[in-house]
Amino acid sequence: SSDVCSSDLALDDITNLTASEIEVLQQLVVRRAEIERRGAELSRREAVLKAAEERIQAKIEEMKKLQAGVEQAIRRYDEQEEQRRKSLVKIYETMKPQEAAKIFEQMDLTTLVEMVERMSERKVAPVLAAMNPVRAKQVTTELSKRRKPGDTPGQPAAAAGAPAPAGG
């Protein structure tokens, strides 16, 4: 049969090899074993990298969830702070100007300007008039630095995002 012939030929081919051909074949066998070892090592490294990539992706997803939670907490805090500021402004607007002026004179300038900036001009004018003139001048100077043309009175300059009305 043909199977017997081909194996006889293969056996004949091996027996007819020269010493240098046998040496080349041995080197090829060694080289093939080295390539297979490297291939196995690359496969192992690829598996390790894939596992690390999956862990990193899981961490990224976890960080995104944490970031969303933090952003939501910051928004809630900002909303609460805004409500607190509005409440304080309303309290100062309903006080008698002389009483509000006494309190305003004791506040640090940053807080005072923030309160005055949020009050309506109609309500803040009598309070400024009742204040110590030096302190009232400080507040006025600071307000002039913060307010830009087109800012709405009673709104903080940073919050006035609308453009100035045309035709002023």
Side-chain angles (χ1 to χ4, degrees):
S1 105
S2 66
D3 289 337
V4 173
C5 288
S6 66
S7 61
D8 287 341
L9 286 175
L11 199 50
D12 286 343
D13 288 344
I14 293 173
T15 57
N16 293 333
L17 294 176
T18 65
S20 62
E21 290 173 328
I22 292 173
E23 186 179 330
V24 167
L25 283 176
Q26 288 173 336
Q27 288 173 353
L28 286 174
V29 168
V30 169
R31 180 72 178 140
R32 181 179 182 149
E34 177 64 20
I35 289 171
E36 287 175 357
R37 187 192 62 75
R38 284 185 180 179
E41 177 65 18
L42 286 175
S43 293
R44 188 190 65 77
R45 285 184 180 183
E46 186 177 286
V48 168
L49 285 174
K50 183 173 174 130
E53 186 177 278
E54 289 171 359
R55 284 194 310 270
I56 289 170
Q57 191 60 41
K59 286 287 185 187
I60 288 171
E61 293 302 318
E62 184 180 333
M63 296 300 265
K64 284 180 181 177
K65 287 177 185 174
L66 286 172
Q67 180 181 6
V70 167
E71 287 173 355
Q72 184 178 7
I74 288 171
R75 276 193 302 275
R76 270 196 316 266
Y77 176 80
D78 287 347
E79 289 168 4
Q80 290 170 350
E81 279 297 300
E82 183 61 23
Q83 288 303 319
R84 186 185 64 78
R85 287 183 191 110
K86 284 180 180 178
S87 176
L88 282 173
V89 167
K90 191 153 218 66
I91 289 169
Y92 290 123
E93 284 182 336
T94 57
M95 288 177 126
K96 292 181 180 176
Q98 295 79 10
E99 293 171 1
K102 287 179 188 175
I103 296 170
F104 280 6
E105 286 175 357
Q106 302 304 312
M107 280 185 192
D108 69 275
L109 187 61
T110 304
T111 305
L112 174 56
V113 170
E114 184 180 330
M115 288 297 116
V116 169
E117 201 171 34
R118 291 170 170 271
M119 292 174 70
S120 74
E121 289 176 357
R122 186 175 55 82
K123 299 283 186 167
V124 81
V127 176
L128 286 173
M131 286 176 66
N132 174 311
V134 173
R135 186 68 165 166
K137 181 181 175 191
Q138 288 176 329
V139 172
T140 304
T141 302
E142 190 61 31
L143 279 173
S144 70
K145 290 178 189 174
R146 290 182 179 205
R147 286 206 177 153
K148 306 283 183 268
D151 283 353
T152 307
Q155 292 295 319

mmCIF file of all heavy atoms in Angstrom, residues 95-105 126-127 130-131:
data_model
loop_
_atom_site.group_PDB
_atom_site.id
_atom_site.type_symbol
_atom_site.label_atom_id
_atom_site.label_comp_id
_atom_site.label_asym_id
_atom_site.label_seq_id
_atom_site.Cartn_x
_atom_site.Cartn_y
_atom_site.Cartn_z
ATOM 1 N N MET A 95 -35.069 93.181 58.075
ATOM 2 C CA MET A 95 -34.650 93.898 59.290
ATOM 3 C C MET A 95 -34.763 95.408 59.081
ATOM 4 O O MET A 95 -34.746 95.897 57.956
ATOM 5 C CB MET A 95 -33.191 93.597 59.631
ATOM 6 C CG MET A 95 -32.921 92.242 60.162
ATOM 7 S SD MET A 95 -31.126 92.070 60.405
ATOM 8 C CE MET A 95 -31.097 91.588 62.092
ATOM 9 N N LYS A 96 -34.806 96.105 60.173
ATOM 10 C CA LYS A 96 -34.728 97.566 60.103
ATOM 11 C C LYS A 96 -33.316 97.908 59.627
ATOM 12 O O LYS A 96 -32.344 97.252 60.025
ATOM 13 C CB LYS A 96 -34.995 98.189 61.465
ATOM 14 C CG LYS A 96 -36.418 98.002 61.918
ATOM 15 C CD LYS A 96 -36.648 98.669 63.258
ATOM 16 C CE LYS A 96 -38.097 98.451 63.690
ATOM 17 N NZ LYS A 96 -38.361 98.991 64.999
ATOM 18 N N PRO A 97 -33.179 98.933 58.775
ATOM 19 C CA PRO A 97 -31.869 99.271 58.231
ATOM 20 C C PRO A 97 -30.789 99.509 59.296
ATOM 21 O O PRO A 97 -29.656 99.070 59.128
ATOM 22 C CB PRO A 97 -32.138 100.546 57.420
ATOM 23 C CG PRO A 97 -33.580 100.445 57.041
ATOM 24 C CD PRO A 97 -34.240 99.743 58.189
ATOM 25 N N GLN A 98 -31.151 100.151 60.416
ATOM 26 C CA GLN A 98 -30.159 100.419 61.463
ATOM 27 C C GLN A 98 -29.656 99.124 62.105
ATOM 28 O O GLN A 98 -28.482 98.993 62.408
ATOM 29 C CB GLN A 98 -30.740 101.343 62.563
ATOM 30 C CG GLN A 98 -31.081 102.739 62.109
ATOM 31 C CD GLN A 98 -32.419 102.812 61.360
ATOM 32 O OE1 GLN A 98 -33.200 101.856 61.330
ATOM 33 N NE2 GLN A 98 -32.667 103.959 60.724
ATOM 34 N N GLU A 99 -30.565 98.164 62.305
ATOM 35 C CA GLU A 99 -30.179 96.874 62.894
ATOM 36 C C GLU A 99 -29.280 96.083 61.934
ATOM 37 O O GLU A 99 -28.255 95.515 62.334
ATOM 38 C CB GLU A 99 -31.413 96.047 63.236
ATOM 39 C CG GLU A 99 -32.255 96.633 64.353
ATOM 40 C CD GLU A 99 -33.590 95.923 64.533
ATOM 41 O OE1 GLU A 99 -33.870 94.949 63.784
ATOM 42 O OE2 GLU A 99 -34.358 96.335 65.409
ATOM 43 N N ALA A 100 -29.674 96.044 60.669
ATOM 44 C CA ALA A 100 -28.870 95.337 59.674
ATOM 45 C C ALA A 100 -27.496 95.996 59.550
ATOM 46 O O ALA A 100 -26.480 95.314 59.441
ATOM 47 C CB ALA A 100 -29.585 95.328 58.330
ATOM 48 N N ALA A 101 -27.450 97.334 59.599
ATOM 49 C CA ALA A 101 -26.186 98.073 59.479
ATOM 50 C C ALA A 101 -25.237 97.690 60.614
ATOM 51 O O ALA A 101 -24.037 97.494 60.387
ATOM 52 C CB ALA A 101 -26.445 99.575 59.473
ATOM 53 N N LYS A 102 -25.752 97.557 61.833
ATOM 54 C CA LYS A 102 -24.900 97.175 62.976
ATOM 55 C C LYS A 102 -24.268 95.796 62.746
ATOM 56 O O LYS A 102 -23.092 95.590 63.035
ATOM 57 C CB LYS A 102 -25.727 97.164 64.270
ATOM 58 C CG LYS A 102 -26.081 98.532 64.782
ATOM 59 C CD LYS A 102 -26.925 98.408 66.049
ATOM 60 C CE LYS A 102 -27.457 99.758 66.471
ATOM 61 N NZ LYS A 102 -28.375 99.661 67.617
ATOM 62 N N ILE A 103 -25.075 94.871 62.255
ATOM 63 C CA ILE A 103 -24.561 93.516 62.003
ATOM 64 C C ILE A 103 -23.563 93.539 60.849
ATOM 65 O O ILE A 103 -22.492 92.933 60.929
ATOM 66 C CB ILE A 103 -25.722 92.540 61.705
ATOM 67 C CG1 ILE A 103 -26.617 92.408 62.949
ATOM 68 C CG2 ILE A 103 -25.196 91.180 61.276
ATOM 69 C CD1 ILE A 103 -27.910 91.672 62.698
ATOM 70 N N PHE A 104 -23.908 94.259 59.793
ATOM 71 C CA PHE A 104 -23.035 94.323 58.616
ATOM 72 C C PHE A 104 -21.670 94.904 58.958
ATOM 73 O O PHE A 104 -20.661 94.495 58.408
ATOM 74 C CB PHE A 104 -23.686 95.150 57.508
ATOM 75 C CG PHE A 104 -24.725 94.387 56.704
ATOM 76 C CD1 PHE A 104 -25.133 93.109 57.039
ATOM 77 C CD2 PHE A 104 -25.302 94.978 55.595
ATOM 78 C CE1 PHE A 104 -26.081 92.434 56.301
ATOM 79 C CE2 PHE A 104 -26.246 94.303 54.840
ATOM 80 C CZ PHE A 104 -26.643 93.030 55.191
ATOM 81 N N GLU A 105 -21.628 95.842 59.853
ATOM 82 C CA GLU A 105 -20.346 96.454 60.222
ATOM 83 C C GLU A 105 -19.425 95.466 60.928
ATOM 84 O O GLU A 105 -18.206 95.641 60.926
ATOM 85 C CB GLU A 105 -20.586 97.690 61.092
ATOM 86 C CG GLU A 105 -21.118 98.862 60.289
ATOM 87 C CD GLU A 105 -21.474 100.069 61.123
ATOM 88 O OE1 GLU A 105 -21.368 100.002 62.374
ATOM 89 O OE2 GLU A 105 -21.865 101.089 60.546
ATOM 90 N N PRO A 126 -30.907 101.768 52.218
ATOM 91 C CA PRO A 126 -31.038 102.342 53.565
ATOM 92 C C PRO A 126 -30.051 101.730 54.574
ATOM 93 O O PRO A 126 -29.609 102.402 55.507
ATOM 94 C CB PRO A 126 -32.473 102.037 53.975
ATOM 95 C CG PRO A 126 -33.170 101.484 52.796
ATOM 96 C CD PRO A 126 -32.155 101.154 51.776
ATOM 97 N N VAL A 127 -29.684 100.445 54.363
ATOM 98 C CA VAL A 127 -28.734 99.785 55.261
ATOM 99 C C VAL A 127 -27.358 100.415 55.080
ATOM 100 O O VAL A 127 -26.686 100.761 56.074
ATOM 101 C CB VAL A 127 -28.675 98.269 55.002
ATOM 102 C CG1 VAL A 127 -27.616 97.610 55.874
ATOM 103 C CG2 VAL A 127 -30.035 97.628 55.243
ATOM 104 N N ALA A 130 -27.112 103.700 56.724
ATOM 105 C CA ALA A 130 -27.035 103.650 58.182
ATOM 106 C C ALA A 130 -25.683 103.142 58.680
ATOM 107 O O ALA A 130 -25.384 103.224 59.873
ATOM 108 C CB ALA A 130 -28.156 102.764 58.732
ATOM 109 N N MET A 131 -24.859 102.649 57.779
ATOM 110 C CA MET A 131 -23.558 102.091 58.182
ATOM 111 C C MET A 131 -22.525 103.188 58.368
ATOM 112 O O MET A 131 -22.672 104.308 57.875
ATOM 113 C CB MET A 131 -23.053 101.102 57.101
ATOM 114 C CG MET A 131 -23.790 99.790 57.084
ATOM 115 S SD MET A 131 -23.255 98.697 55.737
ATOM 116 C CE MET A 131 -21.585 98.335 56.228
#
